[in-house]
Amino acid sequence: TALESVRLPKTLLKIDQGAFENCTALPYVFIPGDTHTIGSWSFKGCTGLEEADMQWADATEIREGAFKNCSALNTILLPSGIEIFGDSCFYGIGATSFEVPATVTQIRAWGFARAYSLTEITFAGDAPAIGEGAFNKIALTARYPSGNSTWDGAVKQSYGGEVIWEAA
């Protein structure tokens, strides 16, 4: 039988490395407010995961491979203070669009690589540091705030994919 969801306890401070790795029957997870660490590979390979609600978590970083190969993941509610997307953290997700909050300062290497369904990414603030292969093997439109001088030619690269950059 499939799980309906997992609501982690309010007292949870961190999700350890690989905690839910390859839990293919998990469709929804709620990560509570006191959670400050979303560990490496914590949900990697959760192919049935459709929604991750982290909006109340205290985490500033989603670590390496945390949601790697979550091919059904299409709803991602991010922590309000999120700053760093770790290496391969959204590699292979199923979302068709993604909004990067203004608080994000880094998208590390392979961040969204092979997220084949992803056709649109919207950046809300200054240009973050974007790592090698961040958009590897995907074709998408990347929108950024018009008139924002941090979005110069050096930032607007392909990062291993086919990226069309548009001021919004």
Side-chain angles (χ1 to χ4, degrees), residues 41-55:
W41 309 292
S42 51
F43 295 95
K44 177 185 172 196
C46 292
T47 55
L49 185 61
E50 296 174 6
E51 181 176 348
D53 184 350
M54 305 172 269
Q55 65 184 322

Side-chain angles (χ1 to χ4, degrees), residues 3 6 45 80 95 117 143 147 159:
L3 297 172
V6 170
S80 61
S117 298
R143 293 185 174 82
Y159 300 99

Side-chain angles (χ1 to χ4, degrees), residues 109-123:
W110 311 101
F112 292 91
R114 299 182 184 211
Y116 298 119
S117 298
L118 191 61
T119 59
E120 180 178 293
I121 191 165
T122 303
F123 293 89

Side-chain angles (χ1 to χ4, degrees), residues 64-122:
E64 175 183 10
F67 293 96
K68 185 175 183 177
N69 293 329
C70 291
S71 55
L73 185 58
N74 57 39
T75 302
I76 303 160
L77 304 173
L78 295 167
S80 61
I82 193 68
E83 297 174 7
I84 300 169
F85 294 156
D87 292 358
S88 303
C89 80
F90 294 116
Y91 182 113
I93 62 169
T96 58
S97 64
F98 194 97
E99 184 164 331
V100 178
T103 55
V104 173
T105 59
Q106 294 179 42
I107 297 173
R108 295 196 174 145
W110 311 101
F112 292 91
R114 299 182 184 211
Y116 298 119
S117 298
L118 191 61
T119 59
E120 180 178 293
I121 191 165
T122 303

Side-chain angles (χ1 to χ4, degrees), residues 1-25:
T1 65
L3 297 172
E4 287 186 29
S5 67
V6 170
R7 290 183 64 85
L8 299 169
K10 290 180 182 179
T11 56
L12 183 73
L13 298 178
K14 73 181 210 173
I15 300 171
D16 282 330
Q17 177 175 321
F20 294 92
E21 187 172 355
N22 295 321
C23 183
T24 59

Side-chain angles (χ1 to χ4, degrees), residues 8-12 30-36 54-59:
L8 299 169
K10 290 180 182 179
T11 56
L12 183 73
F30 173 80
I31 300 171
D34 287 340
T35 307
H36 58 77
M54 305 172 269
Q55 65 184 322
W56 308 110
D58 288 335

